[in-house]
Amino acid sequence: MAYFDKRWVGVFNYRFRRRFRHDLSLLERAVEYILDVKPDAAVCTGDLTSTGQPGEFARCLAILEPLQKSNIPLLYLPGNHDCYVKRPKCVRAMQQAVEYLNGGDYSFDCLPKVRKIGEVEFLMLNTSRPSNLLCSWGFVSSADSAWVRQICAQEKSCPRILVTHYPMLEDHPILRMRHRLFGQQDILELMRKKSIDLTLCGHVHKPYCRVDNSGRGENCAGSVTRNGVISSIEYDPAADSFSFESVDLTK
């Protein structure tokens, strides 16, 4: 049935391009590094797979299993490649991955959700849904936008971090029309007002950190299997600021 949906595009892309650029062993190194450093939390912003196939999920979940079974909280949201098509077996594999990696704390159908870890509040917002054959659009639905506004209307007692797959900031909305996010205007305003301190995202393969002097803004870890780097983020309560380090896993 893959010949009758978007998966044939993804397989073609993987066979002739992605498999020469991505190295899954770098994900293994990321897991080893995280287990060694023992951070307060680990965040994965999606795209564990290329076409959302159950076999792809199984392969990545096996790599992530030591981290999932550790005492380190893991936060995972699916990317557009994880939510590639509407085929029931692919959707089930994605939903099972969300529930498994998040330690059974919540299911995909429970999103959006606030997850409090230590003295940080994580807003888990899914923006990935199957799109048409040639595009990889993301969407903030009106209901999800209202949920974010409602959460941010409450008095903030600790840092508030939005976790999502798609970047909220977009410098080239026309050039990136096939790959962009829609409906994030309210969230951008909340970021400007500092009601949301930091956004953690993926989707864009090249890592970047667009923050102000206090470390507030948006951080994209990029693709670990392509760049061999992950982001290490620390929050200093005394200074009320975030600091960032790009960790090179290839050294």
Side-chain angles (χ1 to χ4, degrees):
M1 297 303 294
Y3 289 105
F4 298 95
D5 63 29
K6 190 178 179 180
R7 280 175 289 175
W8 70 266
V9 176
V11 170
F12 183 89
N13 189 7
Y14 174 78
R15 285 292 182 185
F16 294 98
R17 191 164 65 105
R18 285 181 178 268
R19 71 189 182 102
F20 301 110
R21 298 182 177 182
H22 295 267
D23 181 359
L24 204 56
S25 70
L26 291 170
L27 181 60
E28 297 176 355
R29 295 190 192 182
V31 171
E32 292 170 357
Y33 175 84
I34 294 168
L35 292 174
D36 182 56
V37 173
K38 296 180 177 59
D40 295 315
V43 179
C44 175
T45 53
D47 278 356
L48 291 176
T49 71
S50 287
T51 59
Q53 289 281 93
E56 290 182 284
F57 277 111
R59 188 179 180 187
C60 283
L61 293 188
I63 295 174
L64 293 168
E65 183 178 17
L67 177 56
Q68 193 277 336
K69 289 186 174 180
S70 72
N71 294 323
I72 302 168
L74 175 59
L75 296 86
Y76 162 71
L77 281 174
N80 60 292
H81 284 273
D82 300 330
C83 297
Y84 209 60
V85 291
K86 299 179 181 179
R87 294 291 176 187
K89 68 174 185 178
C90 297
V91 174
R92 282 195 301 271
M94 178 274 295
Q95 292 173 336
Q96 290 167 359
V98 170
E99 189 164 0
Y100 173 74
L101 292 177
N102 288 295
D105 184 63
Y106 57 86
S107 66
F108 178 76
D109 293 334
C110 291
L111 295 171
K113 180 179 175 65
V114 175
R115 192 170 178 188
K116 182 81 176 290
I117 298 178
E119 295 303 317
V120 177
E121 192 175 66
F122 293 92
L123 278 59
M124 308 296 291
L125 180 66
N126 175 56
T127 50
S128 301
R129 295 167 179 82
S131 60
N132 66 43
L133 192 66
L134 298 177
C135 295
S136 55
W137 290 326
F139 299 91
V140 178
S141 69
S142 57
D144 286 351
S145 183
W147 176 84
V148 175
R149 292 197 307 271
Q150 180 183 9
I151 295 297
C152 291
Q154 302 171 17
E155 184 177 355
K156 188 171 60 173
S157 59
C158 63
R160 185 177 286 153
I161 298 177
L162 178 70
V163 181
T164 182
H165 177 65
Y166 285 83
M168 292 294 135
L169 304 176
E170 180 58 77
D171 289 331
H172 308 288
I174 302 301
L175 293 177
R176 287 185 49 81
M177 183 61 68
R178 291 176 50 245
H179 308 281
R180 62 163 297 188
L181 178 70
F182 295 88
Q184 76 271 47
Q185 290 80 9
D186 287 348
I187 294 176
L188 289 172
E189 182 61 25
L190 292 169
M191 292 172 65
R192 283 191 286 268
K193 292 179 178 179
K194 308 299 192 244
S195 297
I196 295 174
D197 294 291
L198 183 64
T199 297
L200 303 180
C201 65
H203 193 54
V204 178
H205 290 188
K206 186 176 180 181
Y208 64 82
C209 191
R210 299 178 57 185
V211 297
D212 61 17
N213 292 335
S214 68
R216 286 168 169 80
E218 183 168 82
N219 184 84
C220 176
S223 171
V224 64
T225 56
R226 181 169 183 176
N227 303 299
V229 298
I230 58 175
S231 292
S232 176
I233 305 171
E234 291 193 14
Y235 174 70
D236 181 357
D240 188 26
S241 64
F242 298 87
S243 60
F244 304 82
E245 178 187 0
S246 182
V247 178
D248 188 348
L249 299 170
T250 63
K251 294 182 178 178

